[in-house]
Amino acid sequence: MAILTGSCRFGLWHVHVAWQDDLVYRVRFARESIAGSVPEEILRYCAGRPADLASLRSVATEGDSTFAGIYRAVRAIPCGETVTYGEVARIVGTAPRAVGAAMARNPTPIVVPCHRVVAKTGMGGFSPDLAIKEILLEMERRGDVCAPEKRGINR
DNA sequence: CCAGGCTTGGAGG
DNA sequence: CCTCCAAGCCTGG
């Protein structure tokens, strides 16, 4: 089976995704949409509905490179919370600047929630547009997209 | 080897 | 409070 590509709407942006089953290869924000679908959980997330992003995997966390370790640490940040570049750095044993560089090159935003990593003094950055980061954090802070503890018993 | 990159903490005005 | 500056770590070219 080949890798699928597709996009879904997110406010003024379109989220392009390259994926296969539960493995995500690439995610990027763009102005235009493209044909094709995206993973169910990403679709739910972009629609502002509860989504279980943890059920997806990202190629970014594979391997034992420093960046992979950083991406894994970032994935561990709970929905609705934020951590500073410096804190992530301490966790994986590297420098804040390296964390910033890793976030700047994150191949799969959202799946690896780089928007939850902020500067000690403020928002920190986010490409292609800092506004996206602010919207994502606001959305999560309200709890709209944060998945219930598990699946389960009720709902 | 070298230039950056979504940082940070300290010095100085 | 604000600007400036260097230390620090990693990856791609």
Side-chain angles (χ1 to χ4, degrees):
Chain A
M1 179 195 256
I3 294 177
L4 305 175
T5 57
S7 72
C8 67
R9 188 72 177 292
F10 179 69
L12 301 172
W13 298 83
H14 289 279
V15 180
H16 293 207
V17 186
W19 56 293
Q20 182 176 31
D21 298 317
D22 64 337
L23 180 60
V24 179
Y25 291 83
R26 198 113 317 178
V27 174
R28 73 185 187 84
F29 291 89
R31 289 302 193 180
E32 340 70 42
S33 67
I34 58 174
S37 61
V38 303
E40 178 65 19
E41 297 307 319
I42 289 181
L43 182 61
R44 294 171 58 81
Y45 185 86
C46 290
R49 298 156 57 204
D52 178 25
L53 297 177
S55 66
L56 294 173
R57 290 183 298 137
S58 165
V59 291
T61 61
E62 296 177 346
D64 55 353
S65 65
T66 297
F67 272 26
I70 290 174
Y71 294 135
R72 282 193 287 274
V74 172
R75 284 214 72 180
I77 303 171
C79 183
E81 292 178 33
T82 60
V83 174
T84 67
Y85 295 97
E87 292 175 315
V88 173
R90 274 195 296 99
I91 294 174
V92 306
T94 185
R97 205 81 174 67
V99 175
M103 295 306 97
R105 292 187 194 153
N106 178 10
T108 63
I110 298 182
V111 179
V112 170
C114 55
H115 57 281
R116 293 177 194 157
V117 184
V118 300
K120 188 174 188 180
T121 57
M123 281 297 280
F126 193 90
S127 50
D129 191 333
L130 184 57
I132 295 174
K133 186 175 187 174
E134 300 176 322
I135 293 174
L136 291 176
L137 289 178
E138 170 59 21
M139 195 168 76
E140 296 188 351
R141 197 169 61 65
R142 285 198 305 262
D144 296 346
V145 297
C146 299
E149 281 313 311
K150 278 268 174 152
R151 282 303 177 195
I153 326 299
N154 49 346
R155 283 261 86 213

